[in-house]
Amino acid sequence: MDSFDAGAGGILRQPKAVWATAGASVVAFMGIGLVDPILPSIAKGLDASASQVSLLFTSYFLITALAMLVTGFVSSRIGGRRTLLLGLAFVVVFAGLAGTSDTVGQLVGYRAGWGLGNALFVSTALAVIVGAAAGGSAAAILLYESALGLGMACGPLLGALLGDASWRYPFFGTAFLMAIGFLCITVFLKEQPKPARRTSLLDPVKALGHGGLASAAISAFFYNYTFFTVLAFTPFVLNMTPYKSGAVFFAWGVLLAVFSVLVAPRMQKRFGSLKVLGGSLVLLAADVLALGYGDHTTAIVCTILSGAFIGVNNTVYTELALGVSDAPRPVASAGYNFVRWFAAAAAPYFAPKIEEWTDIHIPFVVAAVTAVLGAAVVLVRRRALTHEAEELEPKHAAEDGVTVHAG
């Protein structure tokens, strides 16, 4: 992002439709970290093991990954507004059903349905915000990352506040908030013209044939394994009450939001995106190792601190995914997310399994290695990631001028 100041200046002056979409996005991202502080409570309430409860993340993100092939197909046929509303409706229904679960199997199944709704909503929301935001793509990406950061910060806090009374209440609370988001989108977002060309189910996969986009996706795959080891496995390591765990992940989310929106763009402007990304990934690896081998206080500090590195990485990866290839942005984003969300599904499953096979330290060693692998991909493929993105910037700038009206 070369013009953070311009983007920041325009980020607050947005149409109501953009604010409605961004507000609903906050709640959608809250759903990711919502279960963090209540994972031990869910395990106790449903008499389940840590690896069983971690399937809440695995089912959610596995369906999210697969749904990325469907989102463009659906939105190019029924329009962005209807796709957003369909996704929100899925979340309202399945989040509400999750709160009624009597077994961990039911809860995992409902989370899968929730993941489908979230995929339809989140992928389309980014396209809507980029298309309708005032100030161009820079302001739009900042607004989207702000929604992500705020949602990530507030999700664990809401989970802790409601989950202290019962692990079921956070799911009901999410359903209620998403219902409000559904009403806001209905009222403030007008139906937008459908794209001139319909997206096929294979378009996102074909987009990955581009070397730059494939490199960004593979690097993000390794990074996401580290990210979701921290998010899904650390609550069991900390073994704290919902309130205390919620406070830790709220602080983590605040750092994520601050570094993604305020710090990352300034660092990119000074040092360049790939240097910032590579350095942040290596620092995240060191932080995760310290988390795994330190005492309880060290684990808390390193968990919170990881939010800073994750915030930086999220912003840079989003920009790479949207700007490095010649594919339309929604298609490129779908292909990129299709790859990286598989790691988000794998980490919550394998981390507790690795602990069972070895000891509590090794899942964090694996997470540190995957972060370094992500940095290695950036280093080896830096020419494709840099030069192709620079060459395509004028094209995407022109594309933004069109999508302001098309959405």
Side-chain angles (χ1 to χ4, degrees), residues 53-146:
V53 173
S54 293
L55 290 174
L56 292 175
F57 285 98
T58 298
S59 64
Y60 181 89
F61 287 115
L62 182 61
I63 296 301
T64 297
L66 294 172
M68 287 299 162
L69 299 179
V70 179
T71 54
F73 178 87
V74 174
S75 64
S76 65
R77 284 161 175 77
I78 68 173
R81 181 175 180 271
R82 291 178 181 174
T83 304
L84 290 177
L85 292 175
L86 179 63
L88 287 169
F90 267 99
V91 174
V92 170
V93 171
F94 284 103
L97 287 173
T100 69
S101 301
D102 294 319
T103 66
V104 70
Q106 288 179 352
L107 187 53
V108 168
Y110 292 142
R111 278 283 283 183
W114 185 343
L116 173 59
N118 218 47
L120 287 169
F121 175 81
V122 170
S123 61
T124 309
L126 177 57
V128 168
I129 290 174
V130 168
S137 63
I141 291 173
L142 276 179
L143 188 60
Y144 184 78
E145 291 296 335
S146 299

Side-chain angles (χ1 to χ4, degrees), residues 156-193:
L157 193 62
L158 178 67
L161 291 175
L162 296 178
D164 190 61
S166 169
W167 64 263
R168 299 178 186 275
Y169 291 169
F171 297 107
F172 295 139
T174 300
F176 175 75
L177 290 173
M178 286 305 249
I180 294 176
F182 185 96
L183 292 175
C184 289
I185 296 293
T186 301
V187 173
F188 294 115
L189 183 63
K190 296 179 180 179
E191 188 54 79
Q192 301 163 326

Side-chain angles (χ1 to χ4, degrees), residues 5-315:
D5 295 330
I11 193 172
L12 297 179
R13 297 190 294 272
Q14 301 296 338
K16 290 180 180 179
V18 172
W19 284 116
T21 307
S25 298
V26 171
V27 183
F29 287 119
M30 284 172 63
I32 295 176
L34 179 83
V35 298
D36 252 34
I38 57 172
L39 284 174
S41 300
I42 294 173
K44 183 178 180 181
L46 295 178
D47 192 25
S49 66
S51 58
Q52 287 177 315
V53 173
S54 293
L55 290 174
L56 292 175
F57 285 98
T58 298
S59 64
Y60 181 89
F61 287 115
L62 182 61
I63 296 301
T64 297
L66 294 172
M68 287 299 162
L69 299 179
V70 179
T71 54
F73 178 87
V74 174
S75 64
S76 65
R77 284 161 175 77
I78 68 173
R81 181 175 180 271
R82 291 178 181 174
T83 304
L84 290 177
L85 292 175
L86 179 63
L88 287 169
F90 267 99
V91 174
V92 170
V93 171
F94 284 103
L97 287 173
T100 69
S101 301
D102 294 319
T103 66
V104 70
Q106 288 179 352
L107 187 53
V108 168
Y110 292 142
R111 278 283 283 183
W114 185 343
L116 173 59
N118 218 47
L120 287 169
F121 175 81
V122 170
S123 61
T124 309
L126 177 57
V128 168
I129 290 174
V130 168
S137 63
I141 291 173
L142 276 179
L143 188 60
Y144 184 78
E145 291 296 335
S146 299
L148 188 156
L150 186 59
M152 286 289 198
C154 293
L157 193 62
L158 178 67
L161 291 175
L162 296 178
D164 190 61
S166 169
W167 64 263
R168 299 178 186 275
Y169 291 169
F171 297 107
F172 295 139
T174 300
F176 175 75
L177 290 173
M178 286 305 249
I180 294 176
F182 185 96
L183 292 175
C184 289
I185 296 293
T186 301
V187 173
F188 294 115
L189 183 63
K190 296 179 180 179
E191 188 54 79
Q192 301 163 326
K194 297 174 186 177
R197 177 182 174 274
R198 290 184 174 184
T199 301
S200 77
L201 291 174
L202 292 180
D203 278 352
V205 177
K206 292 176 181 177
L208 291 169
H210 184 278
L213 183 62
S215 300
I218 292 169
S219 178
F221 174 88
F222 289 122
Y223 155 66
N224 263 35
Y225 186 95
T226 308
F227 178 0
F228 285 94
T229 296
V230 173
L231 191 64
F233 184 63
T234 302
F236 292 105
V237 176
L238 298 179
N239 194 26
M240 304 165 76
T241 65
Y243 272 128
K244 290 181 179 179
S245 183
V248 168
F249 279 95
F250 174 72
W252 168 86
V254 169
L255 275 186
L256 189 154
V258 169
F259 273 75
S260 64
V261 177
L262 300 178
V263 178
R266 286 180 166 85
M267 292 178 65
Q268 288 175 270
K269 187 174 182 179
R270 182 170 180 179
F271 301 108
S273 293
L274 298 188
K275 287 182 180 179
V276 169
L277 180 59
S280 180
L281 286 168
V282 171
L283 290 173
L284 177 61
D287 179 79
V288 169
L289 274 181
L291 194 166
Y293 281 93
D295 57 19
H296 194 257
T297 301
T298 302
I300 292 173
V301 172
C302 289
T303 299
I304 295 172
L305 184 59
S306 70
F309 306 123
I310 289 169
V312 170
N313 295 337
N314 285 351
T315 293

Side-chain angles (χ1 to χ4, degrees), residues 366-386:
V366 175
V369 169
T370 55
V372 172
L373 287 173
V377 173
V378 171
L379 177 63
V380 172
R381 297 289 297 166
R382 62 188 181 279
R383 180 164 298 184
L385 290 169
T386 302

Side-chain angles (χ1 to χ4, degrees), residues 348-362:
Y349 175 77
F350 283 111
K353 288 292 185 183
I354 292 170
E355 181 200 9
E356 293 173 8
W357 299 332
T358 55
D359 60 52
I360 200 168
H361 306 298
I362 303 304

